[in-house]
């Protein structure tokens, strides 16, 4: 598709607004609540923010992973957080909530519904993430070797260093800035002001990745309400509009990719129209510090763009929710007037295998 | 509720099912059992290792199987100072993306080198199979790659 054709296609899309967003506290370990109990206050808040109830929405879509919870069809149980009666159209993605949001957005495009609830939840603490995340890899060639997520990310970081696109100092600077910014994020799990020189004294977990370049292990949940048509205006004086949305994936073969670039992000950014106007804020789902460098390049962001003012996934990384939270955080910057146009990004799979790009604009 | 009052119980979740690996992955795994490394020809004649039934770049069916290796080049690596219980080696090792001789893509495996100063991008390594009687047709039939020329 040519750039002009893509732009024309975006212009005829149905405007959809992010009417409300809520997230739980992000914590290392929440032993006191099960998934439903974690979600209930978040769902209650996302409705209360705009004074609506479940009866005002037409569709529910969630994102979660049975592998984290250790039980099949856990997403069915999670519906208890919203209430299962009377029944309503509902769907689930075994993916980050950002992809559940995409599914709801597609349904809103079809015009048969005007409002949707999206939620996602991930309790990382009960299991062993190093082993669980190895199971998302190719089951014949990769998973049998049990490459953990830090090791796989370290291969990417090394490739980035070898290509001259980043250094350990650059990675530390990203971690330092992110967690300093997180000091103003009340939902952040890891927030502190530690200079780069101090961080660089950290031990390697898997070289070239030192402790500070890793995301925290987080329990957390998030929810969002999408609105179109009259409801978008009814629920907000100044709606935050989704003006571009796309997601793309690369091969599951790690050795078949150039790990120092992200063509799937670049393609999604192209289709979503990131370059159609200036970007004020970018919320990037870069669980490992070095991945911000790759995403910044793929999205074509210059140094004037504020990246991850929330602290990003380095400040809190609730698996299955961290991508949806990026979109919520970007929308919050527009709603507050701090930004006019923002891009939010979510990732899934090893080394940024799959990427989603969402462009948001105020009015 | 204080932490001490939360009940904990261990729970092992398993999805026990068997898969048929098909003509390409199956050939590769059988090759490992026989002490051979196989790739497959993709679109334009490139050699994909480990092989897939389709070329990930074009989606087209792949063609003939070709033998590759046993040596190759380290394209990226990561040093594991503290191996996890399920890792292939119990002693410190390097994960590596290795482009085998004759291949156009890289394969993930481990390099058994003495320390992080003994592995580098661009290094040549060679395969070290398990003894023939121990091989079962799986990635673990490769014990590790080792620096070519025989360090460690």
């Amino acid at each position: 598709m040519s750039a002009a054709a893509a732009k024309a296609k975006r212009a005829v899309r149905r405007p959809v607004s992010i009417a409300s967003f809520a997230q739980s506290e992000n914590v290392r370990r929440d032993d006191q609540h099960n998934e439903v109990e974690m979600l209930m206050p978040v769902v209650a808040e996302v409705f209360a923010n705009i004074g609506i109830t479940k009866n005002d929405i037409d569709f529910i879509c969630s994102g979660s992973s049975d592998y984290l919870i250790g039980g099949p069809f856990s997403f069915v149980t999670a519906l208890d957080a919203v209430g299962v009666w009377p029944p309503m159209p509902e769907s689930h993605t075994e993916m980050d909530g950002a992809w559940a949001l995409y599914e709801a957005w597609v349904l809103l495009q079809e015009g048969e519904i005007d409002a949707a609830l999206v939620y996602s939840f991930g309790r990382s603490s009960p299991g062993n993430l190093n082993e669980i995340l190895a199971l998302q890899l190719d089951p014949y060639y990769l998973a049998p070797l049990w490459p953990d997520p830090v090791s796989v990310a370290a291969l990417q970081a090394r490739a980035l260093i070898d290509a001259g696109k980043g250094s350990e100092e650059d990675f530390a600077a990203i971690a330092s800035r992110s967690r300093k910014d997180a000091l103003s994020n009340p939902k952040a799990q890891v927030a502190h002001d530690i200079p780069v020189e101090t961080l660089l004294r950290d031990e390697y977990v898997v070289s070239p990745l030192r402790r500070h370049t890793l995301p925290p292990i987080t329990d957390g949940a998030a929810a969002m309400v999408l609105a179109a048509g009259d409801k978008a205006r009814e629920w907000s004086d100044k709606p935050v509009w989704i003006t571009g949305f796309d997601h793309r994936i690369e091969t599951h073969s790690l050795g078949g990719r150039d790990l120092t670039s992200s063509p799937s992000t670049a393609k999604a950014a192209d289709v979503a129209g990131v370059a159609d106007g200036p970007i004020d804020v970018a919320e990037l789902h870069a669980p490992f510090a070095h991945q911000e460098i790759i995403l910044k390049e793929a999205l074509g962001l210059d140094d004037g763009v504020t990246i991850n003012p929330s602290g990003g996934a380095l400040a809190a990384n609730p698996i299955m929710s961290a991508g949806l939270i990026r979109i919520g955080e970007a929308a919050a910057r527009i709603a507050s007037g701090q930004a006019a146009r923002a891009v939010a990004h979510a990732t899934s799979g090893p080394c940024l295998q799959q990427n989603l790009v969402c462009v948001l604009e105020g009015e | 509720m204080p932490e001490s009052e939360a009940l904990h119980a261990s729970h092992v979740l398993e999805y026990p099912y068997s898969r048929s690996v098909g003509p390409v992955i199956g050939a590769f795994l059988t090759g490992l059992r026989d002490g051979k490394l196989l790739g497959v020809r993709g679109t334009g004649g490139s050699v994909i290792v480990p092989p897939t039934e389709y070329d990930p770049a074009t989606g087209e069916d792949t063609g003939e199987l070709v033998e590759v290796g046993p040596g190759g080049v380290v394209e990226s690596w990561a040093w594991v100072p503290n191996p996890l219980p399920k890792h292939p080696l119990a002693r410190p090792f390097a994960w590596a993306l290795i482009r085998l001789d004759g291949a156009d893509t890289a394969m993930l495996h481990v390099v058994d080198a003495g320390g992080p100063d003994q592995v580098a991008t661009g290094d040549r390594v060679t395969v070290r199979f398990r003894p023939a009687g121990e091989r079962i047709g799986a990635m673990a039939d490769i014990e590790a790659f080792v620096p070519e020329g025989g360090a460690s």
Side-chain angles (χ1 to χ4, degrees):
Chain A
M1 192 170 11
S2 72
K7 196 167 181 174
K9 198 170 171 189
R10 283 194 291 280
V12 298
R13 285 199 181 129
R14 187 184 190 205
V16 170
S17 81
I18 294 175
S20 179
F21 173 68
Q23 62 176 311
S24 68
E25 300 292 320
N26 290 293
V27 297
R28 172 62 183 84
R29 186 181 184 99
D30 181 354
D31 275 336
Q32 320 304 330
H33 304 96
N34 64 25
E35 286 74 14
V36 173
E37 291 167 334
M38 276 173 63
L39 267 171
M40 282 182 74
V42 177
V43 170
E45 183 184 336
V46 86
F47 286 158
N49 283 344
I50 49 175
I52 67 168
T53 72
K54 178 196 171 200
N55 297 331
D56 295 306
I57 56 167
D58 311 306
F59 177 65
I60 301 171
C61 196
S62 61
S64 66
S65 173
D66 283 354
Y67 279 74
L68 289 177
I69 292 126
F73 296 96
S74 58
F75 63 92
V76 178
T77 317
L79 258 186
D80 280 342
V82 189
V84 295
W85 193 265
M88 65 191 310
E90 183 266 338
S91 184
H92 173 258
T93 60
E94 190 83 4
M95 301 198 71
D96 187 289
W99 276 267
L101 175 70
Y102 186 85
E103 180 176 333
W105 178 79
V106 169
L107 198 58
L108 283 155
Q109 293 303 308
E110 292 180 359
E112 293 188 11
I113 63 166
D114 293 325
L117 169 71
V118 174
Y119 66 83
S120 61
F121 56 100
R123 268 171 93 216
S124 303
S125 67
N128 179 339
L129 276 190
N130 281 329
E131 294 183 4
I132 291 170
L133 290 178
L135 295 174
Q136 74 178 322
L137 304 173
D138 178 296
Y140 313 108
Y141 297 144
L142 297 176
L145 300 171
W146 295 96
D148 59 282
V150 180
S151 292
V152 172
L155 287 165
Q156 183 177 40
R158 174 88 57 200
L160 208 59
I161 293 170
D162 288 342
K165 289 184 171 185
S167 65
E168 289 189 42
E169 288 74 16
D170 295 333
F171 307 163
I174 288 166
S176 177
R177 187 208 71 221
S178 296
R179 293 185 176 124
K180 188 177 176 186
D181 287 343
L183 287 166
S184 57
N185 175 0
K187 304 289 188 180
Q189 176 190 353
V190 183
H192 47 54
D193 184 3
I194 302 179
V196 170
E197 313 83 76
T198 309
L199 290 179
L200 284 170
R201 284 186 226 124
D202 280 356
E203 297 283 316
Y204 288 116
V205 180
V206 177
S207 83
L209 295 183
R210 299 176 194 268
R211 177 70 59 189
H212 61 263
T213 65
L214 274 53
I217 295 174
T218 309
D219 290 354
M224 190 176 277
V225 171
L226 293 181
D230 294 342
K231 282 181 174 173
R233 298 272 169 206
E234 197 181 315
W235 293 345
S236 174
D237 297 333
K238 291 194 299 177
V240 176
W241 300 107
I242 296 173
T243 56
F245 212 170
D246 195 53
H247 66 101
R248 301 281 157 163
I249 192 167
E250 293 168 47
T251 173
H252 58 280
S253 171
L254 281 175
R257 294 169 49 194
D258 172 7
L259 297 178
T260 69
S261 67
S262 184
S264 55
T265 300
K267 176 73 178 170
D270 190 33
V271 175
V274 172
D276 284 356
I279 296 286
D280 302 313
V281 167
E283 277 284 341
L284 309 181
H285 185 192
F288 293 89
H290 67 271
Q291 293 172 338
E292 181 182 302
I293 297 171
I294 298 168
L295 292 170
K296 195 178 161 190
E297 179 190 275
L299 290 162
L301 304 178
D302 62 37
D303 289 338
V305 178
T306 303
I307 293 179
N308 289 350
S310 69
L314 289 168
N317 189 38
I319 298 203
M320 314 315 284
S321 297
L324 181 64
I325 290 170
R326 302 280 71 72
I327 299 169
E329 292 283 2
R333 293 294 179 303
I334 292 176
S336 69
Q338 292 166 282
R341 192 164 184 270
V343 61
H345 158 269
T347 196
S348 180
C351 297
L352 305 173
Q353 184 196 358
Q354 185 168 9
N355 296 284
L356 174 148
V357 174
C358 183
V359 178
L360 301 169
E361 290 180 47
E363 52 181 37
Chain B
M1 198 193 296
E3 167 76 17
S4 59
E5 290 177 32
L7 294 175
H8 292 85
S10 64
H11 169 63
V12 177
L13 176 69
E14 292 178 288
Y15 295 108
Y17 46 86
S18 55
R19 308 183 189 92
S20 170
V21 290
V24 175
I25 294 171
F28 178 83
L29 297 177
T30 303
L32 293 182
R33 193 193 63 197
D34 297 341
K36 285 192 299 190
L37 293 162
L38 296 176
V40 71
R41 275 203 199 284
T43 309
S46 67
V47 175
I48 299 164
V49 183
T52 47
E53 290 185 25
Y54 61 93
D55 185 320
T58 62
E60 290 175 14
D61 287 350
T62 46
E64 61 167 342
L65 292 160
V66 290
E67 194 166 345
V68 294
V73 176
V74 171
E75 292 210 322
S76 187
W77 60 284
W79 186 258
V80 182
N82 300 298
L84 300 173
K86 293 198 172 194
H87 280 167
L89 293 176
R91 56 185 171 276
F93 68 92
W95 292 105
L97 288 168
I98 299 158
R99 187 164 45 81
L100 292 162
D101 294 341
D104 293 291
T105 63
M107 182 174 94
L108 181 74
H109 217 286
V110 300
V111 175
D112 189 9
D117 52 349
Q118 288 174 50
V119 56
T121 302
D123 276 4
R124 285 201 56 83
V125 291
T126 192
V127 69
R128 183 172 75 204
F129 281 107
R130 287 182 194 286
E134 295 177 18
R135 296 198 292 260
I136 57 167
M139 285 302 271
D141 290 352
I142 300 171
E143 194 169 42
F145 283 78
V146 292
E148 209 168 72
S152 76

